[in-house]
């Protein structure tokens, strides 16, 4: 993507503070661009935004808030990458999605690492949220919290890593909630659907850690499955095709002969015994990559399919921020490099 250099003069009421490592949030509303600085920059940009706006976040750690606007939020990346010199954008606090009356707009988040728990909804249904190249290092609660019955419709996750996610609410009152979600080339450290009958997941070319009996009402294809309880089976309500699991028992209710059995250590290069590891690349061994194939003839897991895994965001990202010394008139010259 073409590089864009933006120079501006900003008045900052932060006398005497060093700005070399300042986080920046760029809010775009139509043709108006506004800049916010510091670890609360995302909070201020969000407060100033309306549905349909875009917020571009630099690398660094930001204070998080309840997101109540259907906006696009793009970070620099979800993890360190020495080859591309990417330093991640981290949202450090518990994050709540609670968007009233979004109209024709939808929430989209890309290139972000969520350091704490992530919840959908306290009072409102979330429609068609989209997450790309994001990492959830704690729990992802796709249903609801504190006994509410809030729905999530058609959530989409592409190239995401989720540590211990897709849990029900903490008070076990999500039985009447509805959640539908699709995961494409994602890593899921934990997944549970059995508590709510109106939960439907589609997983394609994913790597998951799951007790099979808890994976109800789902469609899995080209996935690698680490069964945490080897004597349990997927229920009949879950359809599996071209999947690989280390437990033969897991497939006992599936009549699809395309599913295969293999140990995790025989599949992955450098497998350390844990499915979710932030720095693990999930590359298959050469023999495994040509033996265990998906419905399209490519390898199972996140490096196969039509969208092989890529941690680097596709959209624009702040690559470099240079803030000059404070001038006599109290202004600063700021140079932002967007790639």
């Amino acid at each position: 993507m073409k590089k864009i250099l933006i120079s501006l003069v900003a008045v900052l009421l932060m006398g005497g503070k060093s700005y070399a490592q300042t986080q920046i949030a760029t809010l775009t509303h139509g043709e108006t661009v506004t800049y916010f600085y510091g670890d609360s920059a995302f909070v201020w940009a969000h407060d100033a935004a309306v549905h349909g706006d875009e917020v571009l976040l630099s690398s660094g750690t930001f204070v998080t808030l309840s997101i109540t606007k259907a906006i696009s939020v793009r970070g620099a990346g979800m993890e360190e990458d020495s080859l591309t010199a990417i330093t991640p954008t981290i949202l450090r606090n518990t994050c709540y999605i609670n968007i009233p009356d979004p109209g024709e707009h939808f929430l989209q988040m890309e290139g972000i690492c969520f350091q704490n728990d992530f919840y959908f909804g306290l009072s409102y249904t979330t429609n068609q949220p989209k997450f790309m190249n994001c990492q959830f290092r704690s729990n992802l609660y796709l249903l609801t919290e504190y006994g509410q019955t809030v729905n999530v419709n058609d959530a989409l996750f592409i190239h995401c890593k989720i540590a211990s996610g897709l849990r029900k609410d903490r008070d076990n009152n999500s039985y009447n909630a509805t959640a539908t979600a699709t995961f494409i080339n994602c890593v899921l450290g934990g997944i549970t659907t059995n508590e709510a009958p109106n939960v439907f997941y589609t997983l394609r070319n994913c790597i998951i850690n799951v007790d099979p009996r808890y994976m109800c009402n789902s469609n899995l294809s080209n996935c690698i499955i680490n069964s945490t309880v080897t004597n349990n089976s997927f229920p009949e309500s879950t359809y599996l095709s071209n999947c690989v699991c280390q437990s033969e028992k897991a497939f006992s209710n599936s009549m699809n002969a395309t599913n295969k059995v293999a140990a995790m250590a025989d599949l992955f290069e450098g497998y350390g015994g844990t499915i979710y590891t932030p720095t693990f690349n999930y590359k298959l061994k050469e023999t495994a990559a040509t033996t265990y194939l998906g419905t399209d003839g490519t390898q199972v897991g996140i490096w196969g399919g039509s969208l092989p895994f890529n941690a680097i965001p596709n959209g624009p990202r702040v690559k470099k921020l240079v803030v000059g010394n404070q001038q006599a008139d109290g202004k600063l010259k700021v140079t932002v490099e967007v790639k």
Side-chain angles (χ1 to χ4, degrees), residues 1 37 39 41 59 72 97 112 133 153 156 176 202 293 319:
M1 181 177 288
Y37 303 92
D39 61 359
S59 298
S72 294
I97 306 301
I112 295 172
N133 313 101
N153 296 323
L156 178 61
N176 294 319
T202 299
L293 304 179
K319 183 180 180 183

Side-chain angles (χ1 to χ4, degrees), residues 41 53 67 106 145 156 171 186 188 206 272 304 318:
D53 285 354
I67 296 177
F106 306 98
E145 185 192 15
L156 178 61
D171 289 344
C186 293
L188 298 97
C206 291
V318 177

Side-chain angles (χ1 to χ4, degrees), residues 308-334:
F309 186 80
N310 185 359
I312 301 174
N314 291 318
R317 55 189 174 87
V318 177
K319 183 180 180 183
K320 186 177 182 181
L321 169 67
V322 179
V323 184
N325 294 326
Q326 189 169 6
Q327 301 174 16
D329 59 1
K331 296 180 179 180
L332 296 173
K333 184 177 181 180
V334 182

Side-chain angles (χ1 to χ4, degrees), residues 50-64:
V50 298
H51 296 322
D53 285 354
E54 179 179 79
V55 176
L56 188 64
L57 300 177
S58 68
S59 298
T61 301
F62 293 82
V63 173
T64 321

